[in-house]
Amino acid sequence: VIEGAKARRRAVRSKPRGRYHHGDLRRALIDAARLLVEREGRQALTLRAAARMAGVSQAAPYRHFPDKDALLAAVAEDGLRALAAWLREAAARHEDEPLVRLQALGVAYVRFAVTNTAHFRVMFTAVAAEPDPYPSLSEAYDEVAGLLLEAIVACQRGALVRDGKPRELALAAWSIVHGLADLAVGGQVPRMLGEEREPEALSKLVTSRLLTGLAPR
Amino acid sequence: VIEGAKARRRAVRSKPRGRYHHGDLRRALIDAARLLVEREGRQALTLRAAARMAGVSQAAPYRHFPDKDALLAAVAEDGLRALAAWLREAAARHEDEPLVRLQALGVAYVRFAVTNTAHFRVMFTAVAAEPDPYPSLSEAYDEVAGLLLEAIVACQRGALVRDGKPRELALAAWSIVHGLADLAVGGQVPRMLGEEREPEALSKLVTSRLLTGLAPR
DNA sequence: ACCTGAACACCGTTCAAGT
DNA sequence: ACCTGAACACCGTTCAAGT
């Protein structure tokens, strides 16, 4: 999920000519922040380190972000857009099989989390949702939620999923997949299972249980 | 989930007599850290602030914790023990109805998370699980996982849950409940549902969907 | 319009020194 | 054995000043 990052960096470096006027410092800072998070964990994401990595002074980021939280929100949003794209791609491979598509979304979700553990955590813990201070971050969440909801609706249309409020069913699907992702990222899966397992197998195991239920029969 | 905190503080204050030899500084630091986390969020949990709150110098915590991560791990463990106790209590109210008991565990889990949002997050993101540097934290996770597993086994024994590897079923149950809790804490529930809802209703909604499945019938 | 340099208050961590 | 005081390197943030 570093798609485009290299291209962006190139764009950033090609403009300045001198050492002044960075080109797209905002973008460069987000990329740097993401790199720091993935390489050394969330606590390594420091405004100063991101500035250093982008080759500007410690004060420069404040031209583009009011504070550190805003940069974190941007990093989260960036990850959510990448996740949404990732999910969309997985879904596209099963256009006319809604149930397979739903399962593919689950697999892709868990795969993404396990592949980008630190980034995934930032995506869902970046900032308090309370007064919704970052509307475009909010949209990014909506995008992810929307993809799951659509998949459920498509299944219902094909009578592959029971009737009922689609949003409630989608919340159940989101919960089980997000929970598995978070537990996996936190290393809890081997604790419960007694062994490690591939994200794909894991996701299928758990989502098929949601599909057919825990009850006997 | 501040049970015993007051008692502990009393114990801590009654011993010292002078300003020296704190009594149980370790305990006092954990309590202070938890208070800081719940009142002002995770980033407010600072070794120096915890020391200040406990009335000791900034260097004193290093007598009891090798570094900040160790304090974080202790805070996480503390929360997990509290969660386990909370779950056990909820389960105890339905000794002879395994299915009700399973659902009660789900409700209690989500309730705990929503009531102690910041602490809950620390509990599951405190430290990297990799080389397992905090064995007693590990045990605390095991305790929570074990309660879910037991509940599943009890259901299977009563033929209330299908046959199959109990650990795999328990992972599905943990995932859906943990995922719902994490999404709720992150403010994602109203996004999907279009409205807020009580933890109890939320948990029952989602877990009963796991029980009977997404598939038609 | 966009960035730098210097400054302030605060942190994690260490270490010699105190009781 | 347990704690303090001072110090170091680092951080978030601000602000006057530079181009």
Side-chain angles (χ1 to χ4, degrees):
Chain A
V1 197
I2 326 177
E3 22 72 292
K6 256 176 287 180
R8 279 174 206 140
R9 202 138 348 121
R10 213 181 311 115
V12 163
R13 305 246 169 194
S14 63
K15 269 200 182 175
R17 200 61 76 133
R19 67 226 67 102
Y20 224 71
H21 283 82
H22 198 282
D24 190 354
L25 180 53
R26 189 189 143 81
R27 185 69 255 167
L29 287 168
I30 294 173
D31 288 340
R34 194 177 41 184
L35 222 66
L36 284 165
V37 165
E38 270 310 325
R39 286 208 304 220
E40 303 170 60
R42 179 179 184 152
Q43 94 277 14
L45 166 41
T46 217
L47 227 32
R48 288 169 104 115
R52 234 176 278 134
M53 193 173 267
V56 293
S57 83
Q58 75 220 207
Y62 289 91
R63 286 292 116 200
H64 302 272
F65 300 98
D67 56 22
K68 189 184 177 181
D69 266 6
L71 175 58
L72 261 168
V75 171
E77 183 187 340
D78 204 59
L80 287 162
R81 304 287 186 194
L83 171 60
W86 190 267
L87 293 180
R88 228 186 301 277
E89 212 175 293
R93 283 196 288 274
H94 307 282
E95 272 303 348
D96 43 336
E97 296 161 296
L99 210 53
V100 180
R101 182 169 133 208
L102 185 60
Q103 192 169 52
L105 285 180
V107 170
Y109 196 102
V110 176
R111 243 245 158 288
F112 183 97
V114 170
T115 311
N116 311 14
T117 55
H119 199 180
F120 179 77
R121 286 239 149 118
V122 168
M123 286 158 53
F124 286 94
T125 61
V127 283
E130 268 326 295
D132 192 15
Y134 305 101
S136 82
L137 172 58
S138 222
E139 277 172 35
Y141 287 120
D142 286 338
E143 214 177 317
V144 171
L147 285 165
L148 290 170
L149 184 56
E150 281 172 29
I152 289 283
V153 170
C155 285
Q156 284 184 317
R157 212 176 280 131
L160 300 162
V161 157
R162 66 168 64 209
D163 290 336
K165 296 184 184 165
R167 290 177 168 280
E168 296 188 351
L169 302 181
L171 180 62
W174 196 6
S175 293
I176 204 164
V177 151
H178 179 79
L180 177 60
D182 198 46
L183 291 176
V185 165
Q188 305 300 336
V189 166
R191 186 182 312 284
M192 183 60 102
L193 245 37
E195 61 188 36
E196 199 54 91
R197 211 168 296 189
E198 287 300 300
E200 282 75 11
L202 221 44
S203 178
K204 284 180 183 168
L205 179 73
V206 161
T207 56
S208 67
R209 200 36 69 238
L210 171 61
L211 195 68
T212 52
L214 230 46
R217 288 273 97 196
Chain B
V1 195
I2 326 178
E3 23 72 290
K6 256 176 289 180
R8 281 174 206 139
R9 205 144 338 127
R10 214 181 310 116
V12 163
R13 306 243 172 201
S14 63
K15 269 202 183 175
R17 200 58 77 136
R19 69 225 66 103
Y20 223 70
H21 284 81
H22 198 282
D24 191 355
L25 180 53
R26 189 190 144 82
R27 184 70 254 169
L29 287 169
I30 294 174
D31 288 340
R34 194 177 41 186
L35 222 66
L36 284 166
V37 164
E38 270 310 324
R39 285 207 305 220
E40 304 169 60
R42 179 177 183 151
Q43 95 277 15
L45 166 41
T46 214
L47 226 33
R48 288 169 104 115
R52 234 177 277 132
M53 193 172 266
V56 294
S57 83
Q58 74 221 207
Y62 289 91
R63 285 293 118 199
H64 301 271
F65 299 99
D67 55 23
K68 189 184 177 181
D69 266 7
L71 175 58
L72 261 168
V75 171
E77 183 186 341
D78 203 59
L80 287 162
R81 303 287 186 194
L83 171 60
W86 189 269
L87 293 179
R88 229 186 300 276
E89 211 175 293
R93 283 195 288 275
H94 308 281
E95 274 301 348
D96 43 336
E97 297 160 297
L99 209 53
V100 180
R101 181 169 134 208
L102 185 61
Q103 193 169 51
L105 285 180
V107 169
Y109 196 103
V110 176
R111 243 244 158 290
F112 182 97
V114 170
T115 310
N116 312 343
T117 56
H119 199 179
F120 179 76
R121 286 239 148 120
V122 168
M123 285 157 54
F124 285 96
T125 63
V127 284
E130 268 326 296
D132 191 14
Y134 305 102
S136 82
L137 172 57
S138 220
E139 275 172 36
Y141 287 120
D142 285 339
E143 213 177 318
V144 171
L147 285 166
L148 289 170
L149 184 57
E150 280 171 30
I152 289 283
V153 170
C155 285
Q156 284 185 316
R157 215 175 278 130
L160 300 162
V161 156
R162 67 168 62 208
D163 290 335
K165 297 184 183 166
R167 291 178 167 279
E168 296 188 351
L169 302 181
L171 179 62
W174 195 6
S175 293
I176 205 164
V177 151
H178 180 78
L180 176 60
D182 199 46
L183 291 176
V185 165
Q188 305 300 336
V189 166
R191 185 182 313 283
M192 184 60 103
L193 247 36
E195 62 187 37
E196 198 56 88
R197 210 168 296 188
E198 287 299 301
E200 282 75 11
L202 221 44
S203 179
K204 283 180 183 168
L205 179 72
V206 162
T207 56
S208 67
R209 201 37 67 237
L210 172 62
L211 195 68
T212 54
L214 231 46
R217 289 275 97 192

